[in-house]
């Protein structure tokens, strides 16, 4: 991602996942706009992005960021699972949390860049859908502010 990939629309923040600037993606369905979860806004992601806005087309994260995350998860957090890279499970975790939160299947499928093979996947690519996607993202409860009485 670059600073140019982030934008605000009707009071919510989003980022574009695209091939713009020579980026590569797995497939055509990977091109999408994703709402930024409010936790990331509270944690200062937008300040980090704005600090990178002096070079709007430069990557915000190093090419080795997946390895950095893996080192943090395994080394500092001591979470290990043989034969599975730590970053492999993020999408699966998101889908589980989204299901628990009652996120609409169409939003979950779009946000994760998955395909269902339905013709409707060709629809809904305009900015008109963005407030609805942001509302669906807000259904996901915070990982940062856990209620002590709630069980996970």
């Amino acid at each position: 991602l670059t600073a140019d990939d982030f934008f605000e629309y009707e009071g919510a923040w989003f980022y574009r996942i695209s091939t713009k600037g020579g980026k590569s993606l797995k497939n055509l369905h990977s091109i999408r706009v994703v709402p930024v979860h409010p936790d990331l806004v509270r944690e200062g992601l937008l300040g980090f992005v704005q600090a990178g806005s002096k070079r709007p087309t430069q990557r915000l994260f190093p090419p080795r960021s997946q390895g950095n995350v893996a080192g943090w998860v395994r080394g500092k957090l001591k979470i290990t699972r043989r034969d599975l890279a730590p970053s492999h499970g993020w999408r699966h975790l998101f889908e589980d949390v989204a299901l628990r939160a009652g996120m609409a299947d169409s939003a979950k499928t779009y946000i994760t860049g998955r395909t269902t093979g339905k013709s409707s996947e060709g629809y809904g690519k305009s900015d008109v859908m963005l407030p609805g996607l942001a509302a669906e993202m807000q259904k996901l409860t915070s990982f940062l502010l856990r209620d002590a009485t709630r069980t996970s």
Side-chain angles (χ1 to χ4, degrees), residues 51-103:
S53 66
K54 293 177 183 120
R55 297 184 182 171
T57 59
Q58 182 177 350
R59 289 178 182 226
L60 293 170
F61 305 99
R64 189 181 139 47
S65 58
Q66 184 171 349
N68 293 343
V69 169
W72 172 69
V73 167
R74 287 192 170 135
K76 183 164 179 128
L77 300 180
K78 306 294 183 204
I79 299 171
T80 59
R81 188 169 168 193
R82 284 183 195 221
D83 303 322
L84 185 62
S87 293
H88 177 78
W90 297 122
R91 185 191 304 195
H92 299 278
L93 176 61
F94 172 83
E95 289 182 359
D96 291 347
V97 171
L99 177 65
R100 181 180 71 190
M103 179 183 277

